Amino acid sequence: MPDSMLKVRDVTKSFGGLVALAGVSMDVQRNTLTILIGPNGSGKTTLINLVTGVYKPDRGKILFDGTDITGLPPHEIFRLGVARTFQIPQPFRKLTVLENMLVVYPGNPGEGFLSALRRSGWRRFEEEAVERAFELLEFLKLDHLWNQEAEKLSGGQMKLLEVGRALMAGARLLIMDEPIAGVNPVLAHEIFKTLRKLRDEKNLTILTIEHRLDIALRYVDYVYVMAAGTMIASGRPEDVVSDRRVIDAYLGG
Ligand SMILES: Nc1ncnc2c1ncn2[C@@H]1O[C@H](COP(=O)(O)OP(=O)(O)O)[C@@H](O)[C@H]1O
Ligand SMILES: [Mg+2]
């Protein structure tokens, strides 16, 4: 039985006279790795911008886990559990990997008067945060780098740290815009394998835009295809790649 975590219904968005999205609908099923593809300028990033609250749609509705999030500001959508990797504050270059994880942990008791009186509460919170951070770092195979400054990480490790910070912040739907752009093929495969593991073992739902279809399509459950501001096809990867409309959209430019 289909179980949509994210439902986009008939959204429209224009910039001045330019119609970037003309009535687009999309469903992201819970616990899937879903990919959004399409030629340059087809409206992929605009759609993601509507889902994450960067822009408000002119028309249409967006539901996350049954909650209407249409037009909510980005921080509220984030708080509900939708994280876009580059939306999370960039890792602090001079902080260590572990510190970068700890600073996004929600429920920080703060340095308020009461918590200053209750140091034991602080300690418990700290222990819990450190434990969670190490569990995630281990999962992402970054635990051996815990004391490394973020600026010393490779590009691929930095992307993994961004994913770790999204999880640390409590994300349930992770949205990524081209996670393997500019990454070497070996690491690109590793990143997609990690995304699948996150789906299977951390119960995460993932929506990603990607251009490198040769790599990405081997790993995803479901594909949405956009062209010129509309959704032209969707389905399993093997069906979508042989779809006439999709081939035409890519070849016709
Ligand atoms: N903030 C904006 N202002 C004006 N036009 C925009 C803006 N954002 C996107 N567009 C236009 O909307 C269309 C879709 O862009 P975009 O969503 O970035 O496509 P994609 O991510 O598929 O390459 C393009 O024609 C782009 O120029
Ligand atoms: Mg884009």
Side-chain angles (χ1 to χ4, degrees):
M1 185 158 133
D3 179 16
S4 309
M5 181 176 238
L6 180 72
K7 292 184 202 201
V8 176
R9 288 292 173 272
D10 207 22
V11 295
T12 294
K13 180 72 188 171
S14 298
F15 297 104
L18 182 119
V19 181
L21 296 176
V24 168
S25 296
M26 172 177 74
D27 277 84
V28 177
Q29 304 299 327
R30 199 178 304 278
N31 226 234
T32 60
L33 176 46
T34 296
I35 192 175
L36 179 58
I37 67 172
N40 265 331
S42 55
K44 304 181 296 295
T45 300
T46 302
L47 181 55
I48 297 304
N49 280 332
L50 295 188
V51 170
T52 53
V54 177
Y55 298 131
K56 291 187 205 306
D58 303 330
R59 275 200 300 112
K61 252 195 186 339
I62 304 169
L63 301 172
F64 173 65
D65 245 353
T67 303
D68 189 346
I69 59 166
T70 319
L72 287 186
H75 66 272
E76 281 186 31
I77 296 174
F78 181 73
R79 198 179 47 77
L80 289 168
V82 181
R84 181 181 190 164
T85 46
F86 77 72
Q87 175 200 6
I88 305 161
Q90 289 295 302
F92 296 101
R93 299 169 53 76
K94 290 289 178 194
L95 291 188
T96 67
V97 167
L98 177 62
E99 288 162 346
N100 266 292
M101 295 288 281
L102 295 178
V103 293
V104 295
Y105 195 58
N108 186 320
E111 283 289 11
F113 177 65
L114 273 179
S115 59
L117 286 176
R118 283 197 257 105
R119 303 303 298 183
S120 64
W122 242 116
R123 221 169 12 247
R124 217 166 19 249
F125 169 79
E126 258 180 31
E127 278 166 16
E128 182 191 303
V130 169
E131 203 172 300
R132 174 77 175 144
F134 267 104
E135 175 197 325
L136 292 170
L137 289 176
E138 216 170 287
F139 185 84
L140 296 166
K141 301 199 184 95
L142 291 175
D143 50 320
H144 63 294
L145 299 168
W146 69 276
N147 204 22
Q148 180 94 261
E149 286 168 9
E151 68 179 1
K152 302 216 177 87
L153 299 181
S154 71
Q157 289 166 340
M158 193 67 106
K159 282 189 207 287
L160 289 173
L161 177 58
E162 280 187 41
V163 171
R165 297 178 90 225
L167 286 166
M168 194 74 187
R172 289 177 297 129
L173 172 63
L174 184 66
I175 299 184
M176 312 183 88
D177 202 338
E178 300 195 45
I180 60 171
V183 169
N184 76 59
V186 174
L187 195 57
H189 282 284
E190 278 303 312
I191 286 175
F192 266 95
K193 282 179 192 154
T194 302
L195 294 182
R196 269 164 75 131
K197 261 181 74 189
L198 286 163
R199 176 198 63 191
D200 296 338
E201 294 170 33
K202 297 290 172 199
N203 205 25
L204 204 62
T205 304
I206 302 163
L207 171 64
T208 180
I209 297 177
E210 193 47 66
H211 274 296
R212 293 169 69 183
L213 304 185
D214 55 326
I215 293 175
L217 288 181
R218 299 192 206 180
Y219 295 97
V220 301
D221 302 303
Y222 207 77
V223 186
Y224 277 97
V225 190
M226 295 191 68
T230 63
M231 201 63 87
I232 59 163
S234 67
R236 293 173 178 283
E238 57 272 25
D239 299 329
V240 161
V241 291
S242 54
D243 189 308
R244 233 317 111 201
R245 292 163 298 179
V246 176
I247 295 164
D248 288 347
Y250 272 90
L251 297 181

